C-alpha cells in the first residue's frame, strides 16, 4: 500500500467506507469539508478514506510536478491518455479497497467517489473491480479508457449504482465528455443517476443534497 491517506470516521465502529479521490493538483484534504456536510447517520458509522495522489510531472502544465492520478498530455485527453499512469493508480486504489475489506468492511459497503481526475479513477477502477461495490460516484469528470471498458468491466459490478454530476459551464472538463460517459454507461446496461447544474468545475450545494440522498439509498 503506497498511497498516503487521511481518514475521517463518524463513529468508532464504521459500517461502510467511502473512498474519495481528489482532482488534479489537489490532495486528500480537498474534500474533507464535503465529508463534513454529508449526513449519513441513518446508515451507521462511516469511514471516509481520502488518499493523496502521487506527485508527478503533468505535461499540460508545462511538466510541473503536482499531485495527479495520471499525466494529462494535451487537451484531447481521450486521444492522448496516459494508460500506464491510469493503470498504476488503479492498482493503488484497488489496494485501498482491499485494505478496507481486511479491516472488516465488505466490498458491498464500499463506495468509490471522485472529482475530475478522481472521477475518472473511480469509474475506471470501480467498473473493473471483481467484487460488487456499494456504488460509484463521478463528479465533474469523465470515463477514461472508454474503448476498453466493455471488454474489461467486471460482471460483479454489472448492476452497480452510479451517481454522475457535472457543471453545464465547466471549462475544464466540458459537459459533453460527461454526457459521453453517461451515454456509454447506459449503452453497456448501467443506469447512472445523472445530475447537471449551473456551475463551472466545482461542487454545487444542490449536488451535495442529491448525493447525500443517493448515498443513503445505496448504503441502507
Amino acid at each position: 500500500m503506497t498511497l498516503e491517506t487521511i481518514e475521517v470516521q463518524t463513529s468508532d465502529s464504521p459500517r461502510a467506507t467511502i473512498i474519495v479521490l481528489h482532482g488534479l493538483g489537489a490532495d486528500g484534504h480537498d474534500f474533507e469539508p464535503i465529508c463534513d456536510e454529508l449526513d449519513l447517520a441513518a446508515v451507521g458509522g462511516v469511514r471516509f478514506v481520502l488518499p493523496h495522489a502521487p506527485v508527478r510531472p503533468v505535461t499540460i502544465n508545462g511538466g510541473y510536478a503536482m499531485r495527479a492520478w495520471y499525466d494529462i498530455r494535451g487537451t484531447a485527453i481521450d486521444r492522448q491518455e496516459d494508460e500506464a499512469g491510469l493503470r498504476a493508480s488503479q492498482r493503488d486504489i484497488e489496494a485501498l479497497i482491499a485494505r478496507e475489506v481486511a479491516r472488516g468492511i465488505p466490498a458491498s459497503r464500499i463506495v468509490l467517489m471522485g472529482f475530475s481526475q478522481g472521477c475518472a479513477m473511480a469509474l475506471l477502477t470501480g467498473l473493473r473491480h471483481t467484487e460488487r461495490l456499494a456504488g460509484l460516484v463521478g463528479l465533474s469528470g469523465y470515463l477514461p479508457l472508454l474503448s476498453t471498458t466493455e471488454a474489461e468491466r467486471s460482471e460483479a459490478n454489472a448492476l452497480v449504482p452510479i451517481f454522475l454530476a457535472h457543471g453545464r459551464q465547466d471549462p475544464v472538463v466540458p459537459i459533453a465528455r460527461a454526457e459521453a460517459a453517461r451515454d456509454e454507461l447506459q449503452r453497456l446496461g448501467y443506469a447512472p443517476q445523472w445530475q447537471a447544474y449551473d456551475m463551472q468545475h466545482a461542487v454545487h450545494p444542490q449536488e451535495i443534497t442529491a448525493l447525500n440522498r443517493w448515498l443513503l439509498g445505496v448504503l441502507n
Side-chain angles (χ1 to χ4, degrees):
M1 237 291 296
T2 58
L3 294 177
E4 297 178 26
T5 63
I6 299 164
E7 292 190 3
V8 178
Q9 291 190 180
T10 62
S11 84
D12 292 333
S13 301
R15 297 185 57 249
T17 294
I18 302 176
I19 299 173
V20 187
L21 308 172
H22 62 77
L24 177 66
D27 62 19
H29 293 288
D30 197 41
F31 265 71
E32 281 185 286
I34 303 299
C35 297
D36 290 339
E37 289 184 43
L38 294 170
D39 181 3
L40 303 176
V43 304
V46 174
R47 178 186 294 128
F48 294 94
V49 176
L50 302 101
H52 303 309
V55 175
R56 69 180 80 220
V58 176
T59 302
I60 200 171
N61 288 339
Y64 184 78
M66 63 184 64
R67 292 202 180 273
W69 297 108
Y70 50 90
D71 190 17
I72 301 289
R73 294 170 174 163
T75 55
I77 50 180
D78 54 337
R79 296 194 297 274
Q80 303 178 61
E81 290 186 293
D82 173 20
E83 182 170 354
L86 284 158
R87 301 286 189 186
S89 285
Q90 178 188 357
R91 291 190 292 271
D92 287 341
I93 295 162
E94 288 281 6
L96 287 179
I97 297 172
R99 187 181 70 163
E100 290 308 298
V101 172
R103 296 164 90 185
I105 305 295
S108 60
R109 302 284 296 166
I110 297 173
V111 172
L112 274 186
M113 170 177 158
F115 176 83
S116 195
Q117 265 204 347
C119 164
M121 289 312 311
L123 295 177
L124 171 72
T125 306
L127 295 174
R128 291 162 175 77
H129 188 67
T130 56
E131 300 171 283
R132 171 62 185 266
L133 297 167
L136 308 177
V137 177
L139 309 178
S140 300
Y142 59 95
L143 178 62
L145 302 184
L146 191 146
S147 64
T148 70
T149 300
E150 184 169 9
E152 296 180 357
R153 64 191 178 129
S154 166
E155 184 62 31
N157 281 295
L159 299 176
V160 66
I162 302 173
F163 180 97
L164 299 177
H166 212 90
R168 295 187 183 95
Q169 295 84 34
D170 191 331
V172 178
V173 180
I175 192 170
R177 296 226 52 208
E179 291 170 337
R182 176 200 62 194
D183 294 348
E184 177 65 6
L185 290 170
Q186 289 174 338
R187 186 187 74 80
L188 295 175
Y190 302 96
Q193 179 173 323
W194 168 257
Q195 308 280 341
Y197 299 94
D198 287 324
M199 64 177 183
Q200 297 189 7
H201 200 60
V203 177
H204 196 283
Q206 292 178 5
E207 182 180 14
I208 300 305
T209 299
L211 173 62
N212 201 123
R213 187 183 309 115
W214 182 87
L215 287 169
L216 290 173
V218 301
L219 290 174
N220 259 326

